[in-house]
Every structure is written in C-alpha cells, then in structure tokens.
Amino acid sequence: MIDKVAVALPVPVSRFFDYLVPATSPPLRAGLRVRVPFGSRSLVGMVVAAPQPVGEDTRQYKTISEIIDTEPVAPADWLETLRWAADYYQYPLGEVIAAALPAQLRQGRAAVLPQSLSLMLTPAGHEATMQLPARSHRLRSALQALLDGPQPLSALDAGTRRRALTSGWIVEVRSPAPTPHSSAGAPALTPAQNQSLEQLREGQGFSVALLEGVTGSGKTELYLQLAAGALAAGRQALILCPEIGLTPQLTQRFVARFGPVVAGFHSGMGDADRNRAWLAIREGHARILVGTRSAVFAPFKALGLVIVDEEHDASYKQQEGFRYHARDLALVRAKAAGAPVVLGSA
C-alpha cells in the first residue's frame, strides 16, 4: 500500500500539498520536516497530518525527496499554536511555520542541540599533577585547575589542551545540563513590591495580571522573583521585551540572578546563536528565554510563566510578512500551557 502525506510549504497559498511517502520511510508524524520537489525548486516543509492511503493512480503525486527529522521538530502544542495563529490571522500555515522556525531549521539543518564539551582529568592526569617536573610549572598549574571537577574547554589554552589530550591526561566529556543559580542573594522588596508579589502569586494556572509601574519602580525585580518561583516548580519562563536594544540589558539581569539557564533570542543575534537558543529551550537546557516578539514562537518544554514587559509597546506588532501581535500570541500560549501571564506597563 502506497501512502500520501499532507505537507505545509512556505508558499503564499492557503492549502497543503500531498506527496507520496517513500516505500522505505519510517512512519511519518505531524511536526516532521521534509524536503520536497515543488515546481523547479526544492522546498523544506512540515508534515501536518498522518499518512493516508493512495488509490491505484499515483501519477499525479510527487515523492518526498528527504525526511529530515526522526522526531517532530517541536512539541505538539507548538504546532497547534501555529495552526491557531494561521486561522486567526488568515495566513498560510506553511508560511507561519517558516516564520516561527530559526533560519537554520527553515533551511533543513539538523534540529540537534550542539553539545558543549568540558575537560576532565584522567587517573594519569591526577598523577601528572604530582609528578611533572618543576620546569613544567605552567602545565601542572593548568592540570591542577581541573582537580575540582570538569571545566570548560577555555580552561586550557589550545596548545596545553592538545598536549594533555595526546598524553592521556585529560578527556573531553559532554557538559551536563546547566542548573540555575540560587536566588538567595535577591534584594529585599519594598512594601509595595511585596504586596504586588503576593497578589501575583495568588493565581493558579492560567491568569492574566497587569502590573503598572513607572520606569525604576521595581517591576523587573518582581519579574525575577516570579521566574524563581517558576524554576522552583520545574517550569520554564518566557520574558518578552519590545525592543532589541533593551533585550541584552534585561537578559543580563536574569543571567546575573539565575546563571547559564537563561538564553536570549532576538534578530540582532546570529543565525547559529538563535538556533542554539531555540533548541536549548526545546530540550529544557534553557529554562528562561528573554527575547523580542519572535521569541513567542519558541518550543517550550514546560512553560510555566509568561511576562510581557511594556506590553503597550507597538513593537510587539509584526508589520511585514506574517503579521501578528506577540502579546496576544503570548496569551494564547500561556492559556494552552496553563501558565500565568504578567503584563508590565508604565
């Protein structure tokens, strides 16, 4: 039995396109990316429905050229949100999917989070730290830096690292998933902040609250406190910021509080960095994402908090191509995830 499958393509047509499934293909599911012939071009699209049997006449169908993914590129609720957006904003689903994916994934790159590596001492390396001669003081000091446990590759310069690897004193291992820093050093809140925080924490599941406060009134500290609560519950947080220029500053506030579990996402970043942040959120390696309007499409594994800073700002409206309002989509995503929303505004 030959099957066909519906594929959403990044073309300005509000319909799907049926393609034959290769006979040797594993079972296809919605959310898998495929490469298909389309006229004289080759396009990357996404499977949006389960395969269906084809009748005897298969001549009208072309066959999928390549099945890029073995697993859906994002959780099922991500694709459901995009279906909702395509229907609400009356825009082809294929182009909505293309707008929601980082550039490298749109091009068909593998959806695999690059594994960061660390350096770890071997038993021979432990011995070397004690036995290296005095003239090798620099090398011995470098190896001793690893006695406390695995360290990033940057702990040793390239020449020292190469010599130590060749000598069998160190090995490269995959870095473990980062863990958030303790938030014990958070500053004391003012009475007004305490009152607002208590009210914001009262809601269970999906809720929407407006937090009003002029610039410098302490809204960001409340964001940090709420994010700490989400992390403690094993959930993730989305922090939307209206402008690229404000995003690095806000990201640094979160990094200073929570450490390497924070990722940034905005159009000022390179394609590789955006791709890495997108995949880190999907895998749960990043627990907090701070970004501009396009961050609303990140594939959260366990979304537990949404904050829209300066929610009144017109920058949340995408004005070209797929036109959408990121604040409104943030509400849709939060409702689907059962997460509270805080809309901050001056």
Side-chain angles (χ1 to χ4, degrees), residues 36-127:
V36 297
F38 189 80
S40 61
R41 296 180 290 167
S42 177
L43 298 179
V44 174
M46 182 169 287
V47 175
V48 292
Q52 299 291 329
V54 183
E56 295 182 1
D57 185 8
T58 61
R59 290 173 296 178
Q60 61 179 312
Y61 300 106
K62 293 182 179 180
T63 303
I64 292 173
S65 305
E66 178 190 1
I67 299 169
I68 299 171
D69 304 306
T70 57
E71 296 291 333
V73 74
D77 65 316
W78 177 85
L79 184 55
E80 287 307 308
T81 298
L82 300 190
R83 289 181 188 272
W84 182 93
D87 180 65
Y88 183 79
Y89 292 107
Q90 291 295 288
Y91 209 74
L93 179 59
E95 296 206 315
V96 173
I97 292 172
L101 289 173
Q104 292 188 346
L105 297 187
R106 287 200 302 270
Q107 296 161 6
R109 298 278 189 90
V112 178
L113 179 65
Q115 295 290 338
S116 56
L117 297 175
S118 298
L119 300 175
M120 186 173 71
L121 274 180
T122 64
H126 278 275
E127 292 184 13

Side-chain angles (χ1 to χ4, degrees), residues 306-317:
V306 174
I307 293 172
V308 185
D309 192 32
E310 304 301 331
E311 61 87 21
H312 59 274
D313 199 294
S315 297
Y316 284 120
K317 295 182 180 181

